[in-house]
Amino acid sequence: MASCYFVPIPTSSHLISADLSKKFKIPKLIHTKKRYDGSKVTAFYGLKTPPYELDALEPYMSKRAINRHWGEYHRNFIEGLNRQLEKDDILYGYTLDELVKVTYNNGNPLPEFNNAAEVWNHDFFWESMQPGGGDMPTPGLFQQIEKDFGSFTNFRESFIGASLTLFGSGWVWLVLKREEKRLEIVKTSNAICPIVWDDIPIINLDLWEHAYYTDYRNDRAKYVDVFMDHLVSWNAATERMKRAEAFVNLGEPKIPIA
Ligand SMILES: [Fe+2]
């Protein structure tokens, strides 16, 4: 458990991009809090920028849509979380992953959970897309998908089916299950992030209406199709799978030969 005397400096992945901060007039997000001895500590999280220009996903996701989604909704989750953390010394000093898991509180979420998880989910979502995305997964990941879903077509249909049957707001994920050692598609409601169950996320898709209303109005099906065909980053998915394989052995045990 983190101590209230810990001085949490946000990780580099959560530092604010100076250029984009200026564009959107993002107010100072790094708060200070007085220690019990009267000195101040720097705390909390900043708004992570998407890994591409905000118009780079056009025409499939417009700059106007990302301006609203990232610049307003995502920022509101960050600011809401920071306001909550200002009042709570116990939650100082965690990485964002740790904060999501701790505030999930074994299924009895603390008030900070929704904002923390939505920050995590959105950071992951922006990096789950790329300009020129869609197409087919890279070799290796493609074979793993074929192994676990029967075919890429089956995977695609399952992912789309899960997205269209998700009730209300939430997310659809391609995850690697640690125990089962296989890829699966999971749906989560509202802010729930599958790292709370120890799944390893590979791809996620935001299915809150704010994610697609600007470009597609109520046509969730069109949005999901466009994501699969033009936006999903199989490069990011491949890198995530490589990292995941440090924790999950997907092949036969490899015994080093002396
Ligand atoms: Fe969103």
Side-chain angles (χ1 to χ4, degrees), residues 69 73 77 118 122 171 206 208 210-211:
H69 192 176
Y73 286 92
F77 292 126
E118 279 295 84
H122 282 86
W171 299 80
D206 190 339
W208 289 58
H210 68 232

Side-chain angles (χ1 to χ4, degrees), residues 214-228:
T214 304
D215 287 333
Y216 300 101
R217 296 299 178 219
N218 294 318
D219 194 349
R220 180 186 280 191
K222 176 72 175 169
Y223 164 69
V224 176
D225 268 344
V226 165
F227 176 81
M228 292 302 294

Side-chain angles (χ1 to χ4, degrees), residues 200-250:
I200 303 177
I202 304 299
I203 289 291
N204 70 348
L205 176 60
D206 190 339
L207 290 165
W208 289 58
E209 195 178 71
H210 68 232
Y212 53 89
Y213 191 80
T214 304
D215 287 333
Y216 300 101
R217 296 299 178 219
N218 294 318
D219 194 349
R220 180 186 280 191
K222 176 72 175 169
Y223 164 69
V224 176
D225 268 344
V226 165
F227 176 81
M228 292 302 294
D229 293 341
H230 301 288
L231 294 173
V232 62
S233 176
W234 292 120
N235 293 336
T238 300
E239 292 305 311
R240 290 163 174 169
M241 278 295 287
K242 284 180 188 169
R243 288 198 293 273
E245 287 185 57
F247 305 99
V248 180
N249 190 331
L250 295 172

Side-chain angles (χ1 to χ4, degrees), residues 55-233:
D55 61 358
L57 301 183
E58 290 191 343
Y60 307 109
M61 186 173 286
S62 68
K63 181 177 180 179
R64 182 164 163 262
I66 296 182
N67 272 342
R68 288 194 66 204
H69 192 176
W70 173 74
E72 296 178 22
Y73 286 92
H74 189 168
R75 190 180 84 178
N76 285 341
F77 292 126
I78 284 275
E79 292 186 340
L81 176 63
N82 286 340
R83 278 194 298 273
Q84 288 173 311
L85 294 178
E86 277 185 315
K87 301 171 187 167
D88 192 343
D89 283 330
I90 291 175
L91 294 174
Y92 265 30
Y94 289 109
T95 65
L96 189 60
D97 285 48
E98 291 167 342
L99 187 66
V100 169
K101 292 176 184 176
V102 165
T103 57
Y104 184 64
N105 196 29
N106 287 321
N108 298 293
L110 304 181
E112 294 85 355
F113 174 75
N114 282 340
N115 280 324
E118 279 295 84
V119 171
W120 197 104
N121 296 348
H122 282 86
D123 285 349
F124 196 82
F125 176 57
W126 302 123
E127 294 179 358
S128 292
M129 298 184 288
Q130 66 170 77
D135 203 8
M136 300 297 278
T138 49
L141 177 57
F142 182 83
Q143 275 79 34
Q144 189 66 39
I145 288 174
E146 283 198 315
K147 177 169 174 276
D148 293 337
F149 294 93
S151 68
F152 181 74
T153 302
N154 285 351
F155 157 75
R156 190 182 186 283
E157 287 177 0
S158 298
F159 194 93
I160 290 173
S163 301
L164 300 185
T165 55
L166 176 75
F167 181 76
S169 298
W171 299 80
V172 166
W173 308 75
L174 175 65
V175 301
L176 182 61
K177 293 277 189 183
R178 288 180 197 255
E179 294 297 318
E180 297 85 345
K181 299 184 179 183
R182 54 170 291 139
L183 293 167
E184 285 188 16
I185 293 166
V186 299
K187 299 189 273 190
T188 61
S189 293
N190 300 318
I192 302 282
C193 171
I195 65 171
V196 301
W197 304 312
D198 222 16
D199 290 344
I200 303 177
I202 304 299
I203 289 291
N204 70 348
L205 176 60
D206 190 339
L207 290 165
W208 289 58
E209 195 178 71
H210 68 232
Y212 53 89
Y213 191 80
T214 304
D215 287 333
Y216 300 101
R217 296 299 178 219
N218 294 318
D219 194 349
R220 180 186 280 191
K222 176 72 175 169
Y223 164 69
V224 176
D225 268 344
V226 165
F227 176 81
M228 292 302 294
D229 293 341
H230 301 288
L231 294 173
V232 62
S233 176

